Amino acid sequence: MLDLLSIAGLRPRELCLLSPVHFMSTKGSFSEFLLIEDDWAFNGVERPALLSHEEVQKSLNNYIKWMVKFGVNATPEKSYLGINPNKPILVDDDYKSFGLQSRGKSKSDDVKLVPQKMNDYIKDLIVKSGLDKDNVGLSSFHRTWVINAYRADMDIKSIAILAGLSQET
């Protein structure tokens, strides 16, 4: 999970909704990128995300193997390694999807949905790992991704697009 936040630059909202159909072929191979569509992007702006990093591929592979072993989101179909391709892959300690929770109304009178359960889970991981003592917070992972992309000489426009930053940012 933390790899997807810090190495792939995903946001908690995007993690909550990430399903096998987004990054996996029917035969079980992984894509090197995924398209985060506007309806599940953290700010409503479609953007690509890179999944080609070796650690991200390894983490996804290990997590999918764990899902198959314990029958999480299992389906009798052989495609997608027997995992329901449309259900979010990340589950909590009770094997339930994190989902999004209503947080009142947004400026446009739409119901505002936030990944509160996922946010709380990540914050708990931060505390359990002791990273909170180094001032690591929920937004630290995405900030680290942006900084590392810049240090790797990625151009600013590409960083902004991949990070989902708006033109105002």
Side-chain angles (χ1 to χ4, degrees):
M1 177 184 310
L2 298 181
D3 286 346
L4 292 171
L5 290 168
S6 60
I7 300 173
L10 298 182
R11 303 284 184 114
R13 175 184 172 83
E14 297 159 351
L15 283 179
C16 284
L17 301 172
L18 182 65
S19 301
V21 73
H22 294 127
F23 66 90
M24 185 189 295
S25 75
T26 57
K27 295 188 185 270
S29 61
F30 299 145
S31 300
E32 291 194 1
F33 74 96
L34 73 103
L35 181 63
I36 301 170
E37 297 174 18
D38 55 1
D39 60 333
W40 60 288
F42 84 100
N43 62 354
V45 177
E46 181 180 88
R47 70 186 181 97
L50 300 176
L51 300 178
S52 56
H53 192 281
E54 184 180 326
E55 288 299 315
V56 172
Q57 293 277 319
K58 182 178 169 186
S59 291
L60 282 172
N61 191 36
N62 288 339
Y63 193 80
I64 295 297
K65 283 180 182 177
W66 173 84
M67 290 179 76
V68 169
K69 180 178 179 179
F70 291 100
V72 177
N73 294 344
T75 180
E77 301 295 324
K78 297 284 184 213
S79 60
Y80 294 98
L81 303 175
I83 297 170
N84 184 327
N86 299 308
K87 287 187 84 169
I89 62 166
L90 294 178
V91 294
D92 62 17
D93 295 336
D94 296 321
Y95 303 105
K96 294 181 182 169
S97 296
F98 285 95
L100 300 174
Q101 295 75 40
S102 175
R103 190 67 174 246
K105 300 228 178 206
S106 66
K107 293 177 186 173
S108 65
D109 275 345
D110 292 332
V111 175
K112 185 176 182 181
L113 298 174
V114 297
Q116 192 60 50
K117 196 173 165 187
M118 171 73 76
N119 289 346
D120 293 342
Y121 190 83
I122 295 167
K123 288 176 188 174
D124 189 48
L125 286 175
I126 291 168
V127 170
K128 284 181 179 175
S129 66
L131 290 172
D132 60 320
K133 293 177 180 73
D134 293 325
N135 296 319
V136 171
L138 195 55
S139 62
S140 299
F141 300 101
H142 198 257
R143 188 178 323 112
T144 298
W145 182 90
V146 170
I147 291 168
N148 286 334
Y150 180 77
R151 287 179 179 162
D153 292 328
M154 187 180 288
D155 68 279
I156 298 297
K157 187 173 182 176
S158 296
I159 292 171
I161 290 169
L162 290 170
L165 301 173
S166 64
Q167 291 181 353
E168 295 82 32
T169 307

